Amino acid sequence: MTNRKILAEFPYELKPVEKGYNRRTLYINLSTKDIKSRPVSDLMIDKFVGGKGFDLYLMWHAVKDTTRWNDPENEICISFGPLCGNTNYPGSGKSIVTTISPLTDIPVDCNVGGHFGPYAKFSGWDAIEIQGKSDEEIIIYIDGDKGIVQILSAPDEEINSHILAEKLIAEFADNPNSYQYVSVVSSGKAADYVPISCLNFSFWDKRRKVARLKQAGRGGTGMVFRDKRIKALVVKYSGLKGDTNHPVDLETLQKTGLKVHKEIEELDDQQNRMRQVGTAHLVEIMNDYDLLPIKNFKYGQMEEAKGLASWEFKKLFTQGLPDGCWFGCSMSCCKAVDGFIPRTGPYKGQKVTVDGPEYETVGGCGSNLCIWNPRDVVELNFYCDTYGIDTISFGTSCAFAMECYEYGILNKERTGGLDLSWGNADSVFELIHQMGRGEGFGVIVGQGVHKMKEIFAREYGADPKLLQDIGMEAKGLEYSQYMSKESLAQQGGYTLALKGPQHDEAWLIFMDMVNNQIPTFEDKAEALHYFPMFRTWFGLQGLCKLPWNDIEPANNAETDEPAKVPEHVQNYVDIYTAITGKPLDKDELIRQSERVYNFQKVFCLRMGKGRRIDDIPPYRAVGPVTEEEYLSRQERYDKLLKEKQGIDPEGKSTQEKMALLRAYREDQYQQLVDAVYKRKGWTKEGIPTIEHLKSLGMDLPEVVEVVKRFL
Amino acid sequence: MKKFLNTYDEDCIACHACETICARTYFKVDDLERSRIRIEEQEKSAHIVTCNQCETCVKVCPTLALTVNAQGVVLLNNRLCVGCYMCIAACPNESMFRYLGGIIPIKCIACGLCLDSCPTEAIRIEEKKENEK
Ligand code: SF4
Ligand code: SF4
Ligand code: SF4
């Protein structure tokens, strides 16, 4: 080992996982250098299941009502869930990271691939809880082969992830043939300076012989990590087999997994081509449907966007490799660009392998900024990852700054000489490198949209109303990369999401806008109940969402509810029981999620958000803010005025029509919120009622105590 | 050149002798589910299912547990296998097999033992060019 002091050491007994659980969690305090094992109670399993549920439970008991992201008691929790780590069912290797976010002040949760989660779980832990702050740079090392946890000094090495991950893998692996048994969690230089930061979870790619990086992207986890002076978490585990998760019914698990492997084998090339281009297949679809964000979500479609279509990325992605972020993921969506040579920044001219870009990155770092060259998007993706920046928040924040530049709120004087005109990739590169160096206007952009709004109003006298309308954030988190203007349900899907506007709770645009399957408020509310609950379940178990509906059985369209993919729902019920031995059906699955979802809601309230006023979208997410937006889709909006509002647009000025449309849409949104809260068992103010909590079995004293403050 | 087991369904009388010898040799059991060659009985005929060393599975294995030896035979390294069964799904000939209780798939390694047990020469070790299917 190179130049490391052991600052603390904790030997523990190695025990096999039983039915998906270790029944203990790992607690590490970086201030006191205390490391301990904590038992997992029946209550935790019964009510919180695992994964995000365990994370939130542990964090709830660790923080105070007043805790902010950089307080020592704030935690980074990483948990895995009972289904995590099985190698049989596609998409079973996810970790869930939570912390009190520097962007939102409430808990944020990220679902991330890579080998760290399963290896840490099989090393003996159902969750890892990191509290306190170190006074020097450290690495936390879990040796799952020997049963030792160490806090090690880390004075020397690089911080940027693409270098650090490989260096640590080489250092901690037994020999060069066993790199695949080590995984690293790290962030990057920018996370020292900007909250729009992320964590990278590695997996060793045996074919490419590089460390691949998957991101826990949203909400600023990287900044909390670096604030604790953690350089990396490293795990080593060499014992993985086809039954390490010790399921009670291996046969069912294997057969169910095999069935989906075969579906993917037969149907993926005709369906979403995830194995060829990953989620980038969405770019052309979104552009066709006017849903791809362009110029800070002003427009959803542009001829130029074809330059970012998946066929362009397919030329860059190495084809034909099993690109799963965990073993057994035959969906293999983690595409990579090999031999990429950046044209800017500290790694200019060096050959690197870049993970992605995924759809969100193409939207954020490409179309939303009018950057149409796929290689520039790949390069921004590379630097975001290695610097520890979230590509989504980066994209939305840059787009906001560029729009402010367009309106003269910003100018070269204010940006330190940067011309932030749409499409100026060189300036965007400079912004990202400034974030990596912690200097210049890049650091302002890296504060995220919410802070920028405050700064631009205060320092530059910008109109706060305009900033509010075009600043694509809610609760402090930037919107991810879909246009929700024409889908009321998706406006709710985004803005009612507990952690802030991320599409992982609900993606209803096609159901709502394209197929008109959920016409009434009640229909939309039902969808905004069911899908967030169903998707929450993946986070409780350690699963990936993609193999649920990015591949569908051949006969799915003929089922009662194709949007739910009923056969796959049954698969999940079956593998849950096959692993844990506990009975489940599709209704109890939803109840498992509802318990944790409501707990998270109350947690948000406790930390100061989660009320109705926090669920308001910026108008850009709802309708046209500017005349040019209205006029660009005038036919659509005029028609809506006539058909939905019974108003004749003839003879009215654009401003008048915009005001009428706005009043209507904002009212519709409020009616939607009423319907959704009611469906979720919450008051009109968005507070879970005691009766509802009781009916879920979540009337825990600490929860009721918080709720009572708001009733 | 690549060594592989060629099969002649029209000669197969479905006596299952090949399966028996294969399962006995590698697993010391009479359970035909453990054989790396399988005879599917159809109404009037039989179909011999076994690996033709096409290497499709080699490309999908995430751990590089599947490799090709000097004779062109695809071998599975048990130590590296994590039992994901992606190779089973990818095999175009359905000749990568699983069995009850197993965590590692099994496939024909063209050892040729079954040849001698076959009374009709329905299985023969032959050679083909690398890229022939
Ligand atoms: S679908 Fe993609 S992201 Fe999900 S587990 Fe598989 S490879 Fe990872
Ligand atoms: S097991 Fe199947 S995929 Fe693999 S070499 Fe044999 S025939 Fe080809
Ligand atoms: S089951 Fe084993 S040999 Fe087959 S693809 Fe998976 S790891 Fe490779």
Side-chain angles (χ1 to χ4, degrees), chain A residues 44-231:
Chain A
M44 278 172 77
I45 291 181
D46 293 346
K47 301 209 188 286
F48 295 87
V49 185
K52 179 163 95 166
F54 278 13
D55 282 343
L56 292 171
Y57 177 83
L58 295 169
M59 276 190 27
W60 176 290
H61 295 284
V63 301
K64 300 186 277 221
D65 297 4
T66 52
T67 299
R68 288 293 172 255
W69 70 277
N70 55 353
D71 285 322
E73 70 271 15
N74 188 17
E75 291 194 329
I76 291 174
C77 287
I78 308 178
S79 178
F80 323 112
L83 272 45
C84 175
N86 84 73
T87 55
N88 314 94
Y89 198 88
S92 295
K94 296 288 188 165
S95 307
I96 292 79
V97 185
T98 63
T99 195
I100 301 295
S101 158
L103 288 165
T104 64
D105 296 332
I106 52 177
V108 67
D109 57 278
C110 304
N111 178 311
V112 55
H115 292 177
F116 183 86
Y119 286 174
K121 171 170 167 177
F122 295 141
S123 294
W125 307 106
D126 288 333
I128 300 172
E129 196 187 355
I130 305 170
Q131 198 176 36
K133 286 196 201 190
S134 172
D135 45 19
E136 63 180 298
E137 294 282 350
I138 56 105
I139 283 170
I140 296 171
Y141 175 49
I142 301 170
D143 185 332
D145 291 339
K146 295 208 182 98
I148 299 174
V149 182
Q150 292 174 324
I151 303 175
L152 301 168
S153 70
D156 300 329
E157 57 281 282
E158 183 60 57
I159 287 178
N160 289 334
S161 273
H162 82 289
I163 295 175
L164 179 62
E166 291 194 355
K167 191 181 168 295
L168 294 176
I169 288 169
E171 178 181 333
F172 286 90
D174 293 339
N175 59 60
N177 290 327
S178 44
Y179 283 4
Q180 74 268 27
Y181 304 128
V182 179
S183 175
V184 174
V185 178
S186 56
S187 187
K189 239 1 238 174
D192 286 343
Y193 312 111
V194 299
I196 57 164
S197 56
C198 71
L199 291 175
N200 290 296
F201 281 54
S202 82
F203 68 93
W204 183 253
D205 185 326
K206 279 187 107 174
R207 285 182 169 79
R208 295 180 170 90
K209 299 191 172 51
V210 294
R212 305 282 305 278
L213 303 174
K214 306 310 300 170
Q215 289 72 37
R218 308 305 325 266
T221 52
M223 197 179 212
V224 180
F225 193 81
R226 291 297 302 140
D227 184 60
K228 295 185 179 302
R229 301 198 72 185
I230 308 171
K231 247 185 203 167

Side-chain angles (χ1 to χ4, degrees), chain A residues 87 206-207 242 251 254 261, chain B residues 58 61 63 82 84 98 100 102:
Chain A
T87 55
K206 279 187 107 174
R207 285 182 169 79
E251 174 81 354
Q254 287 176 338
H261 288 331
Chain B
V58 176
C61 175
T63 63
V82 296
C84 70
R98 63 179 284 276
L100 188 64

Side-chain angles (χ1 to χ4, degrees), chain A residues 328-626:
Chain A
C329 192
S330 43
M331 185 129 249
S332 290
C333 80
C334 301
K335 308 328 292 177
V337 182
D338 290 302
F340 185 79
I341 302 179
R343 66 180 178 88
T344 70
Y347 307 114
K348 178 178 167 176
Q350 301 178 10
K351 243 188 208 167
V352 292
T353 288
V354 187
D355 266 88
E358 298 195 38
Y359 166 77
E360 296 293 327
T361 304
V362 180
C365 299
S367 61
N368 225 345
L369 312 179
C370 296
I371 291 178
W372 306 118
N373 181 344
R375 298 193 70 88
D376 285 344
V377 176
V378 172
E379 184 157 341
L380 286 169
N381 194 161
F382 166 70
Y383 276 112
C384 275
D385 292 352
T386 199
Y387 287 154
I389 298 170
D390 167 22
T391 57
I392 297 176
S393 280
F394 177 82
T396 302
S397 298
C398 288
F400 174 74
M402 285 175 137
E403 190 172 355
C404 289
Y405 192 87
E406 182 187 345
Y407 300 152
I409 295 168
L410 295 175
N411 51 41
K412 276 193 179 173
E413 210 175 291
R414 291 172 178 169
T415 63
L418 290 178
D419 171 2
L420 292 185
S421 303
W422 297 113
N424 191 340
D426 289 342
S427 294
V428 177
F429 281 124
E430 187 48 29
L431 286 176
I432 201 168
H433 298 312
Q434 288 178 350
M435 291 182 200
R437 295 193 300 266
E439 61 184 42
F441 191 69
V443 175
I444 306 277
V445 176
Q447 301 308 305
V449 173
H450 186 79
K451 291 268 162 51
M452 273 192 281
K453 289 194 301 192
E454 283 170 21
I455 296 169
F456 298 168
R458 190 179 63 228
E459 308 279 322
Y460 310 138
D463 173 11
K465 276 210 218 75
L466 176 68
L467 296 177
Q468 171 57 33
D469 283 351
I470 65 171
M472 286 295 283
E473 62 93 7
K475 304 182 178 79
L477 189 71
E478 288 72 25
Y479 277 69
S480 70
Q481 308 299 334
Y482 295 98
M483 296 283 285
S484 55
K485 278 184 202 170
E486 307 311 323
S487 167
L488 178 59
Q490 189 57 28
Q491 292 160 26
Y494 263 137
T495 318
L496 302 176
L498 294 179
K499 66 167 161 274
Q502 167 75 349
H503 56 279
D504 65 346
E505 280 202 12
W507 198 90
L508 300 172
I509 301 183
F510 273 19
M511 266 184 107
D512 188 32
M513 175 191 115
V514 180
N515 302 327
N516 199 22
Q517 289 161 321
I518 41 174
T520 67
F521 287 115
E522 282 65 36
D523 296 335
K524 293 186 208 305
E526 182 56 36
L528 283 167
H529 171 69
Y530 178 82
F531 289 102
M533 295 313 155
F534 183 69
R535 286 163 169 253
T536 292
W537 197 77
F538 295 122
L540 306 184
Q541 306 297 345
L543 297 177
C544 174
K545 166 263 161 193
L546 298 176
W548 159 54
N549 70 350
D550 276 279
I551 185 77
E552 290 175 356
N555 67 352
N556 190 52
E558 291 135 43
T559 57
D560 293 353
E561 297 179 289
K564 294 185 179 174
V565 200
E567 186 179 321
H568 286 183
V569 174
Q570 190 57 44
N571 287 351
Y572 289 115
V573 166
D574 292 343
I575 65 168
Y576 174 85
T577 301
I579 289 173
T580 64
K582 291 173 191 247
L584 189 78
D585 58 27
K586 62 186 192 335
D587 301 320
E588 181 54 24
L589 180 156
I590 296 296
R591 304 274 288 179
Q592 283 190 336
S593 294
E594 257 188 299
R595 291 187 193 104
V596 175
Y597 191 92
N598 279 276
F599 183 79
Q600 185 170 355
K601 171 76 176 178
V602 178
F603 203 164
C604 292
L605 288 165
R606 180 183 164 211
M607 304 313 289
K609 280 200 181 133
R611 301 145 305 169
R612 188 165 181 136
I613 49 162
D614 301 310
D615 284 346
I616 307 287
Y619 188 59
R620 178 59 60 72
V622 175
V625 173
T626 60

Side-chain angles (χ1 to χ4, degrees), chain A residues 284-359:
Chain A
E284 53 269 23
I285 303 175
M286 294 305 127
N287 193 45
D288 285 349
Y289 284 94
D290 202 15
L291 293 167
L292 181 73
I294 292 168
K295 290 197 178 179
N296 194 28
F297 302 85
K298 278 192 209 181
Y299 312 116
Q301 192 174 57
M302 233 165 137
E303 188 57 27
E304 289 89 329
K306 297 212 171 103
L308 298 178
S310 65
W311 51 84
E312 297 298 334
F313 286 102
K314 191 177 171 190
K315 294 181 204 156
L316 300 173
F317 293 153
T318 310
Q319 292 294 307
L321 298 181
D323 284 321
C325 69
W326 172 239
F327 301 116
C329 192
S330 43
M331 185 129 249
S332 290
C333 80
C334 301
K335 308 328 292 177
V337 182
D338 290 302
F340 185 79
I341 302 179
R343 66 180 178 88
T344 70
Y347 307 114
K348 178 178 167 176
Q350 301 178 10
K351 243 188 208 167
V352 292
T353 288
V354 187
D355 266 88
E358 298 195 38
Y359 166 77

Side-chain angles (χ1 to χ4, degrees), chain A residues 87-88 180-181 206-207 240-243 250-252 254-255 258 261-262 265 320-322 326-330 332, chain B residues 57-64 78-86 88-90 94 98-104:
Chain A
T87 55
N88 314 94
Q180 74 268 27
Y181 304 128
K206 279 187 107 174
R207 285 182 169 79
L240 183 70
K241 286 280 163 249
D243 60 353
L250 182 65
E251 174 81 354
T252 300
Q254 287 176 338
K255 279 189 171 159
L258 199 43
H261 288 331
K262 285 190 175 149
E265 194 61 45
L321 298 181
W326 172 239
F327 301 116
C329 192
S330 43
S332 290
Chain B
C57 54
V58 176
K59 297 187 191 84
V60 305
C61 175
T63 63
L64 298 182
N78 288 4
R79 200 176 49 79
L80 290 176
C81 174
V82 296
C84 70
Y85 291 180
M86 274 158 55
I88 299 184
E94 304 199 354
R98 63 179 284 276
Y99 58 90
L100 188 64
I103 53 168
I104 289 172

